[in-house]
Amino acid sequence: MSTATGTSSPPGAQPPREPARKPSTMAQALNRALRDSLAADPDVHVFGEDVGTLGGVFRVTDGLAAEFGEDRCTDTPLAEAGILGTAVGMAMYGMRPVVEMQFDAFAYPGFEQLVSHISRMRNRTRGALPMPLTVRVPYGGGIGGVEHHSDSSEAYYMATPGLHVVTPATVPDAYGLLRRSIASDDPVIFLEPKRLYWGKDDWSPEQPQDVPEIGRAVVRRPGTSATLITYGPSLPVCMEAAEAAARDDGLELEVVDLRSLVPLDEETVVASVRRTGRAVVVHESAGFAGPGAEVAARVSERCFHYLEAPVLRVAGFDIPYPPPMLERHHLPDVDRVLDAVARLQWESEWRAGDDARHAAGPGGGVN
């Protein structure tokens, strides 16, 4: 009997079984993505602080040095500017460096290389020198980290033309988006939400499901009442808020996971907001000049005649990241998301003066 591939199998033979899916963590999926990329392309090199022998602070690079050798998975000095500068040279000569910035705010000493060279090289050379460089950045709060260990610095990267900015929120996306980032000829800032490293999902490393490409958003939960626009570590918060709104208030909130901040999938976001007429943008980064400001502006420009209420934002407060004991007050949670949903001017509930009362919040009205 012929199969779709043109081969033959004996009568009564069972079709090959798909590999069983089992609970896997985001950290495991990222590790597998790095391993598969190293195996598939000899030009891929992983390096950074403690990525070799230790396997990374979060063990995302565990076992790679032992399997591929220290020449392919290399420990570096504690010098972020030097790490990124070395990566620029490697990419210019045709390699595909994958750099780890150990924590979000540790990347700041390397910003000069990012802004002056990594983001500009392809444009500067009129395309003659692509920059196939991936910068992995564990980011965000929720782990009780001290200062310089919990920043959400995505707005800095978004404001730097020439960089792609990607952040997974699910185990399949962690694997799929990292593989796509490493294969890209453009520089990618790959933001890994630390609090989701140990979240599990049914996933097969032997047969990982395909995921949408960089630059495509995904509707994680369909709805008709309002749209929650989010990404990375705030996706589980929005999913929980949507469940609570359906259970307690009968509202069906649609949840859009951006996945990619640059390029931004405006089409998926706009289509969702035009269907629901209301939108709330949720993220951990500060509200003032944060990612939500850009998203809200674009939604307002393209959905103005469809909106039933102003686009609201739920974000981190406009302060340096607080000490561990206070971070639960700083990070957006389900209650803050639901409070914003309740302020979306449902029919006749809005009263004159509401806007003035809410404008006193941090970030110019950000909840």
Side-chain angles (χ1 to χ4, degrees):
M1 180 173 59
S2 297
T3 66
T5 58
T7 60
S8 297
S9 57
Q14 297 295 320
R17 298 175 62 183
E18 291 188 4
R21 299 188 184 279
K22 58 182 181 180
S24 301
T25 67
M26 180 177 286
Q28 290 172 324
L30 292 168
N31 178 272
R32 183 58 183 249
L34 292 170
R35 174 188 168 193
D36 289 352
S37 295
L38 285 162
D41 187 348
D43 289 329
V44 174
H45 290 255
V46 175
F47 60 102
E49 298 164 5
D50 296 322
V51 301
T53 303
L54 180 64
V57 172
F58 298 100
R59 303 299 184 267
V60 172
T61 57
D62 188 39
L64 298 182
E67 183 173 353
F68 296 97
E70 294 183 357
D71 289 340
R72 301 283 307 283
C73 183
T74 309
D75 285 327
T76 67
L78 306 183
E80 285 76 16
I83 294 170
L84 287 177
T86 300
V88 172
M90 294 172 66
M92 289 174 66
Y93 277 87
M95 297 180 180
R96 291 188 178 272
V98 182
V99 172
E100 178 180 303
M101 298 284 103
Q102 198 169 68
F103 283 92
D104 31 59
F106 289 12
Y108 299 156
F111 255 85
E112 194 277 332
Q113 295 291 338
L114 276 170
V115 175
S116 295
H117 302 296
I118 293 174
S119 66
R120 300 169 186 257
M121 189 61 68
R122 196 166 194 179
N123 182 72
R124 180 184 296 156
T125 62
R126 298 184 181 181
L129 285 178
M131 190 56 42
L133 193 163
T134 302
V135 183
R136 295 179 42 244
V137 185
Y139 85 116
I143 65 166
V146 296
E147 186 182 12
H148 290 100
H149 291 72
S150 298
D151 280 12
S152 294
S153 44
E154 53 266 37
Y156 300 141
Y157 303 114
M158 291 174 66
T160 305
L163 300 177
H164 288 183
V165 184
V166 174
T167 177
T170 68
V171 172
D173 265 358
Y175 178 90
L177 286 175
L178 184 53
R179 290 298 306 273
R180 290 180 184 274
S181 297
I182 295 171
S184 173
D185 285 336
D186 288 307
V188 179
I189 307 300
F190 193 86
L191 300 170
E192 301 171 3
K194 295 191 291 288
R195 72 152 100 181
L196 302 186
Y197 270 146
W198 302 279
K200 292 185 177 182
D201 197 357
D202 288 339
W203 179 78
S204 169
E206 304 305 326
Q207 195 177 54
Q209 57 262 56
D210 193 25
V211 300
E213 62 187 354
I214 292 173
R216 300 303 300 174
V218 169
V219 176
R220 298 293 183 190
R221 187 183 193 279
T224 56
S225 303
T227 300
L228 303 181
I229 306 167
T230 190
Y231 57 87
S234 295
L235 176 62
V237 175
C238 288
M239 294 295 283
E240 186 178 348
E243 292 294 331
R247 181 183 64 249
D248 300 335
D249 302 312
L251 297 176
E252 291 298 330
L253 303 181
E254 184 150 296
V255 180
V256 176
D257 177 7
L258 293 177
R259 303 174 68 251
S260 172
L261 302 178
V262 181
L264 182 69
D265 183 1
E266 289 187 49
E267 298 306 318
T268 298
V269 172
V270 166
S272 175
V273 177
R274 286 183 176 182
R275 284 195 303 271
T276 66
R278 294 174 170 85
V280 178
V281 190
V282 183
H283 56 69
E284 290 187 10
S285 183
F288 185 82
E294 180 64 26
V295 174
R298 290 175 181 253
V299 168
S300 296
E301 289 171 358
R302 298 192 57 183
C303 302
F304 182 80
H305 294 289
Y306 296 83
L307 289 171
E308 302 289 341
V311 180
L312 300 182
R313 291 173 288 155
V314 179
F317 297 118
D318 298 330
I319 59 172
Y321 200 85
M325 294 298 290
L326 298 177
E327 72 173 2
R328 70 183 186 279
H329 303 294
H330 176 74
L331 297 174
D333 60 13
V334 171
D335 288 341
R336 289 177 61 195
V337 174
L338 293 177
D339 178 67
V341 170
R343 294 191 287 111
L344 286 174
Q345 297 183 9
W346 299 98
E347 298 179 359
S348 61
E349 294 179 4
W350 178 83
R351 300 181 305 275
D354 278 0
D355 290 342
R357 281 194 291 274
H358 293 303
V366 177
N367 186 21

